[in-house]
Amino acid sequence: MARKSIEKAILDAVSDIRLQALGFEAIGIWVFLMNLIREIGTDGSVTFGFGRAPSLADVARIRFGMTETELKTHLETHCVTQLLAWDDATQTLSYGPDQQPSRRTIANRLNGAKGGRPPKNHVTERTDPAQRNLPPMAIKGGKSVTESKTHAPIAKAKANNDSYLKAKLVEPSASEIDAVFNRIGPKAFDAAGFDPARDLQNWSAARQWAADGLRKGMTPDEIERVVVAEVSRIAERQRNKGKPAPHMGYFGKAVCAAIAAGVIPEEPKTFAQQVAERDWEEAMREWVRAGGAGPQPVLADYAAKAAA
């Protein structure tokens, strides 16, 4: 009996009107017959006088205390009501249609006897359509014994990334870091807007900026421009918010990120350069008004004149 115990089947049959109509004696016989099938039967049925099962006459005499004819009468009655199934020709007693295993259960039992259902989409040499018509491979994996390599091993390409380039850079010495630190420290302090008379002149955070800039391959001038520009920008932003930066360490993360980005501001122009550009722009406007007559003004000429 599939997924149902004999106790569950008996409890379910108590409310069956077919069984109740037979009387208490027939109900007791039905319970004993159900237990007999479970005790000596196989797959929900038992054939009397075959295998380990005793004959029907012995069962009637020992288990029920009646003759074989009387037991057959009860079996035929239960068979008519479909509470049990009885075949007099083969002497086979089995569960009724309600207690019989389902088709799915029977199929699962047959598959289990054959070794079970193979895994879904399991492709083997026998089931693969691509190999169905091919002869079996003599060597595992299909490799030939005389196989030879036709290609040389491919050399691993050298990684051209930031980590490789950083490894190629020379680590700056302590003296180089100190020189840049002593240069950018006071200028960063002034760019932050601190008062030397009231604020502690401590720009030790600039030492890390100097080391990062040198490792990045920047010159001292480039490091100075990056640090001063970033400190000035953040200090101006905080002053506009009414929350000025309390110390130099406040700019640490932003300056380190700016150095890592490698975006270097333009070099500030001197007074002579500003004068040269102003005179050159004026000369260009006059040259355009004249319709491009004469030679075009060159900025280098005005820069040399202003420097002199």
Side-chain angles (χ1 to χ4, degrees):
M1 184 179 298
R3 298 188 179 93
K4 287 186 178 181
S5 63
I6 186 65
E7 295 83 1
K8 183 68 167 57
I10 293 173
L11 292 176
D12 293 341
V14 170
S15 59
D16 194 331
I17 189 64
R18 298 172 299 173
L19 189 60
Q20 293 175 353
L22 298 178
F24 291 104
E25 182 181 0
I27 293 175
I29 293 176
W30 177 82
V31 172
F32 277 105
L33 290 174
M34 291 283 289
N35 189 36
L36 184 66
I37 297 174
R38 181 186 180 188
E39 181 182 351
I40 61 176
T42 303
D43 292 335
S45 64
V46 57
T47 301
F48 297 108
F50 180 79
R52 65 172 185 171
S55 63
L56 183 61
D58 293 337
V59 172
R61 177 175 53 85
I62 298 173
R63 185 61 61 89
F64 296 96
M66 61 179 65
T67 63
E68 181 180 356
T69 304
E70 292 175 335
L71 181 57
K72 281 186 178 182
T73 303
H74 287 287
L75 292 175
E76 292 172 357
T77 302
H78 289 302
C79 182
V80 172
T81 58
Q82 295 187 352
L83 294 171
L84 289 172
W86 166 250
D87 187 354
D88 189 33
T90 60
Q91 298 284 295
T92 301
L93 176 66
S94 59
Y95 292 128
D98 297 338
Q99 290 81 30
Q100 287 290 346
S102 62
R103 293 182 179 179
R104 184 180 184 87
T105 302
I106 296 174
N108 290 339
R109 290 176 180 175
L110 294 176
N111 289 331
K114 297 177 183 178
R117 178 184 296 178
K120 186 177 181 181
N121 300 330
H122 181 64
V123 179
T124 62
E125 183 179 349
R126 179 173 296 180
T127 60
D128 187 3
Q131 301 186 18
R132 185 169 298 170
N133 299 322
L134 296 179
M137 295 182 181
I139 301 175
K140 183 178 180 180
K143 295 182 179 180
S144 175
V145 178
T146 60
E147 179 183 1
S148 60
K149 294 183 179 180
T150 58
H151 300 283
I154 300 175
K156 186 177 181 181
K158 184 183 297 183
N160 186 16
N161 49 31
D162 292 342
S163 60
Y164 176 76
L165 295 177
K166 289 180 180 178
K168 296 290 290 183
L169 296 177
V170 179
E171 185 72 16
S173 62
S175 59
E176 293 175 340
I177 296 176
D178 290 339
V180 177
F181 164 69
N182 294 328
R183 175 178 175 176
I184 67 175
K187 294 185 178 181
F189 186 84
D190 294 339
F194 294 130
D195 187 358
R198 300 177 57 184
D199 298 320
L200 180 63
Q201 298 185 22
N202 181 11
W203 46 76
S204 59
R207 184 178 298 277
Q208 183 63 45
W209 305 339
D212 292 345
L214 291 174
R215 292 191 186 98
K216 189 72 175 178
M218 296 181 180
T219 63
D221 292 337
E222 294 174 342
I223 298 174
E224 178 184 338
R225 294 204 297 271
V226 172
V227 171
V228 172
E230 191 66 19
V231 170
S232 301
R233 181 185 67 82
I234 296 176
E236 181 67 21
R237 182 194 66 189
Q238 293 303 117
R239 283 193 294 268
N240 293 336
K241 291 182 178 180
K243 299 179 180 179
H247 50 78
M248 287 296 297
Y250 184 84
F251 308 95
K253 292 183 179 180
V255 174
C256 290
I259 293 175
V263 180
I264 302 173
E266 295 183 359
E267 186 177 359
K269 298 177 181 179
T270 62
F271 178 75
Q273 290 175 337
Q274 295 177 4
V275 172
E277 289 185 359
R278 184 187 60 192
D279 295 343
W280 173 75
E281 290 175 357
E282 182 63 26
M284 282 294 297
R285 283 193 291 268
E286 293 294 336
W287 181 74
V288 172
R289 292 193 193 100
Q296 182 178 353
V298 180
L299 178 61
D301 297 339
Y302 290 89
K305 181 179 178 181

